Amino acid sequence: MPKTDRPRNLNIDKRPNRYLAVHGGYWRVSMAVPKELQAELGTRLIRGLNTKSVAIARMKRGPVVEEFKAKIEAAWAARGGRKRSVLAEAVEVRKLMSSADRNMADFLQQGVDERVQEILEAGGVTWVEVLDEDFGGPSQHPVYTPEAIEEARTFRSVAAGSATPIALHHAEFMASLTIKDRSKLDEPRALSLLLDWMRANEIYPFIENVTPQVARQFERYLQSSTELAWASKAKYLGRLKVYWAWLKKQEFAKENPFYDLTVKKQVAEAEAEEERPYTDTEVQRLFMGEPLEGRAMLDVMAVAALTGARLDAVICLKVGETDEGLFRFKKQKKEKHDRDVPIHPDLYEIVNRRAEGKGPDNDLFPEWPKAKPPSVKPRSSYFSKRFTFYSKKIGVRDEVENKRRSLVNFHSFRRWFITKLEHEGVNGDLIAAIVGHKRGGLTLDRYSSGPKLQAALEAISKVKLPPLDGTPVVETRGLKPMRRKP
């Protein structure tokens, strides 16, 4: 075949910038994660190098690459090893052992002994002469490498069932969960956090190695040594607690070492500022700004602001879920049912424009599609990132030191809507019914079909966006004090 002018493959091992990529003008290390491990580690491992110089990036790359490779190997070990690895072989032998009769078990044990010897010899052997009094003279004895001894010991322990890779049963555990896909993302994150800590402390990732003492050490590390917010620390510890409870129930673990562990809330963190509603001035600036996505973003913002619905519920609306002057929002978080919310009169133009010429199963906001598999991120994930970029660009933020999220964010539209309803004198139970919160008392919450739609429409219609022509806004104040920005 004649030669072509096809570009060279830049991803070969010899390229000088292997594992390096530029983002925002700065170099960073970027390493692909094997498909089998992406649930735990994500699609890529990325670490910024804080330099615009490629020469400096090349010098700083080495330790990060080694750390990433060790992280990937630890993840493989936790799952039971790479395909055709010694560890994966031991897991297969273990499965055969568990269902073998006595004769077959004896045969398999003989195979294990032979395989252990092969592993020891494959690592390299040195013969030394040792005086053996029983034989009346010197004899040759093999000396194996420490690495081979450790690998052989691991093979024997896993094959015998006395050592279990931590993530060996994690896929089965995940399949048993009935929580939303978005919440399931916390499971591998929690496990990855534990595995990183175990790797740093040279604790092999076996279930049997996570004793109550080890679990307490991890809890202390989580408490004092990570930059996570308290809520995230408590969440991840809770997810590990649930996983080990399942392992114990399935008899894969003898105990739940996380059972009585909790992450205490620091005094300073307990007294930290809470996230708050937007002010009318902030709402005005958000709607008068010019997001790159134009109406695609502004329309979502308008529906959220004038219904109090959560972002994912808005983004996922179908055209057929806007019939009869009602939004049919899918249940969110702890809600037990879908709910109908009257469409605010100021939203008719948006709904009619977006529904025109479309079928009932078409998306109302097709500009914000769902992430492609294998990602299980919520459909609203990309919008959320773009909205954060937009709000930073126009300065509608309320940042607090050592707090990951701004005190105002997209969810502040929901808080703003609820605040406006209360300021208009709307009954608290009616507000709760409109926004999907639990209403007061068993009678209303379980036995009633809800308030009249007309009452809800009248209440919602009282909420108005601030003037969008630049007219100065006169803020209405609630009884709850607002933080004074520095």
Side-chain angles (χ1 to χ4, degrees):
M1 293 181 65
K3 292 184 178 180
T4 65
D5 293 326
R6 291 172 59 187
R8 293 183 302 108
N9 181 5
L10 299 179
N11 293 318
I12 57 177
D13 289 354
K14 294 181 181 179
R15 62 188 172 120
N17 293 345
R18 181 160 173 76
Y19 299 124
L20 291 178
V22 177
H23 182 73
Y26 288 85
W27 288 94
R28 64 185 186 179
V29 175
S30 178
M31 183 181 293
V33 174
K35 184 177 180 180
E36 297 88 341
L37 304 178
Q38 289 180 3
E40 291 87 356
L41 303 180
T43 56
R44 303 192 74 84
L45 298 177
I46 295 173
R47 174 82 55 79
L49 297 176
N50 300 318
T51 181
K52 292 185 176 182
S53 166
V54 64
I56 294 176
R58 289 171 183 167
M59 289 188 294
K60 298 175 71 174
R61 164 182 55 185
V64 180
V65 168
E66 291 305 313
E67 179 187 339
F68 283 178
K69 287 183 176 179
K71 187 181 181 77
I72 288 174
E73 287 304 317
W76 275 120
R79 285 175 60 90
R82 294 175 183 265
K83 187 178 181 181
R84 297 178 182 171
S85 67
V86 170
L87 184 58
E89 184 183 352
V91 169
E92 289 301 315
V93 173
R94 175 185 185 142
K95 292 178 182 177
L96 293 173
M97 284 278 202
S98 65
S99 59
D101 58 25
R102 184 171 181 177
N103 291 333
M104 178 58 71
D106 291 341
F107 176 76
L108 289 171
Q109 185 59 53
Q110 182 180 349
V112 168
D113 294 338
E114 293 174 357
R115 186 70 179 105
V116 165
Q117 189 61 36
E118 290 175 355
I119 294 170
L120 289 171
E121 294 175 359
V125 57
T126 303
W127 292 90
V128 298
E129 193 173 87
V130 178
L131 181 62
D132 193 329
E133 296 181 357
D134 292 337
F135 291 93
S139 62
Q140 296 291 316
H141 283 260
V143 176
Y144 305 108
T145 64
E147 294 78 12
I149 293 172
E150 180 62 28
E151 189 172 33
R153 183 183 296 117
T154 298
F155 178 87
R156 187 183 294 278
S157 297
V158 173
S162 57
T164 311
I166 282 180
L168 182 62
H169 304 291
H170 200 252
E172 184 182 351
F173 162 70
M174 292 282 286
S176 73
L177 296 174
T178 57
I179 58 180
K180 292 184 178 180
D181 288 342
R182 182 178 182 180
S183 298
K184 286 184 179 181
L185 293 174
D186 292 327
E187 304 294 341
R189 288 170 184 163
L191 194 60
S192 180
L193 195 63
L194 173 64
L195 291 174
D196 282 348
W197 176 82
M198 293 181 72
R199 176 172 55 84
N201 288 272
E202 299 182 349
I203 303 172
Y204 211 81
F206 288 153
I207 290 173
E208 292 77 10
N209 288 344
V210 186
T211 62
Q213 181 182 9
V214 168
R216 284 194 298 273
Q217 291 174 356
F218 174 72
E219 180 267 322
R220 286 195 290 268
Y221 156 77
L222 201 61
Q223 182 79 55
S224 60
S225 303
T226 64
E227 297 179 355
L228 295 170
W230 169 82
S232 296
K233 295 177 184 180
K235 175 175 64 177
Y236 293 143
L237 186 64
R239 298 326 302 169
L240 292 172
K241 194 179 300 187
V242 171
Y243 178 43
W244 251 265
W246 180 87
L247 288 172
K248 182 181 178 182
K249 184 177 181 180
Q250 301 298 321
E251 298 184 350
F252 296 137
K254 293 181 179 179
E255 58 184 344
N256 183 353
F258 298 97
Y259 176 73
D260 57 353
L261 298 183
T262 57
V263 178
K264 296 179 181 178
K265 204 171 195 178
Q266 300 295 330
V267 175
E269 203 168 357
E271 296 175 353
E273 296 290 341
E274 296 179 352
E275 296 180 6
R276 62 171 177 81
Y278 286 124
T279 63
D280 285 353
T281 302
E282 289 169 331
V283 172
Q284 183 188 62
R285 289 175 62 188
L286 285 166
F287 278 95
M288 291 185 64
E290 297 181 357
L292 293 176
E293 293 80 3
R295 295 303 323 175
M297 178 171 285
L298 292 172
D299 287 352
V300 174
M301 289 162 49
V303 174
L306 296 178
T307 61
R310 296 180 175 89
L311 174 57
D312 207 55
V314 176
I315 289 283
C316 292
L317 278 171
K318 301 287 187 182
V319 171
E321 293 168 337
T322 63
D323 291 341
E324 300 178 346
L326 300 170
F327 286 122
R328 168 68 54 91
F329 289 122
K330 291 182 173 61
K331 61 182 180 180
Q332 300 281 308
K333 292 200 171 182
K334 296 182 179 180
E335 296 174 8
K336 297 179 180 178
H337 310 285
D338 296 347
R339 57 192 174 85
D340 290 335
V341 175
I343 297 176
H344 192 291
D346 291 348
L347 295 177
Y348 290 160
E349 183 277 329
I350 292 175
V351 173
N352 292 336
R353 168 166 47 85
R354 288 186 162 275
E356 186 177 1
K358 295 180 180 178
D361 293 330
N362 291 134
D363 290 323
L364 194 66
F365 297 103
E367 304 94 332
W368 307 101
K370 188 175 182 180
K372 296 180 180 179
S375 174
V376 293
K377 290 182 179 179
R379 181 172 169 177
S380 58
S381 179
Y382 180 64
F383 179 97
S384 182
K385 290 181 180 179
R386 297 300 296 159
F387 180 80
T388 298
F389 174 81
Y390 170 57
S391 64
K392 286 181 178 179
K393 177 183 174 183
I394 64 174
V396 181
R397 305 284 288 174
D398 191 354
E399 309 283 1
V400 177
E401 188 177 358
N402 296 325
K403 192 172 181 66
R404 182 175 61 88
R405 293 210 318 177
S406 165
L407 297 185
V408 288
N409 43 63
F410 192 89
H411 203 68
S412 293
F413 281 124
R414 181 173 171 85
R415 301 184 182 97
W416 177 83
F417 177 76
I418 292 172
T419 300
K420 287 297 178 185
L421 288 176
E422 185 175 16
H423 286 183
E424 292 295 335
V426 178
N427 177 272
D429 279 327
L430 179 54
I431 295 175
I434 291 171
V435 300
H437 283 165
K438 187 174 181 179
R439 295 196 290 160
L442 177 66
T443 304
L444 289 179
D445 194 55
R446 180 174 297 181
Y447 292 100
S448 173
S449 64
K452 290 182 179 179
L453 287 173
Q454 183 61 33
L457 176 59
E458 291 173 0
I460 289 172
S461 298
K462 294 178 180 180
V463 179
K464 299 292 182 181
L465 292 175
L468 304 183
D469 57 2
T471 303
V473 172
V474 178
E475 297 285 356
T476 56
R477 288 290 302 273
L479 290 177
K480 190 174 183 179
M482 291 185 64
R483 183 177 80 93
R484 294 182 179 179
K485 297 182 183 180

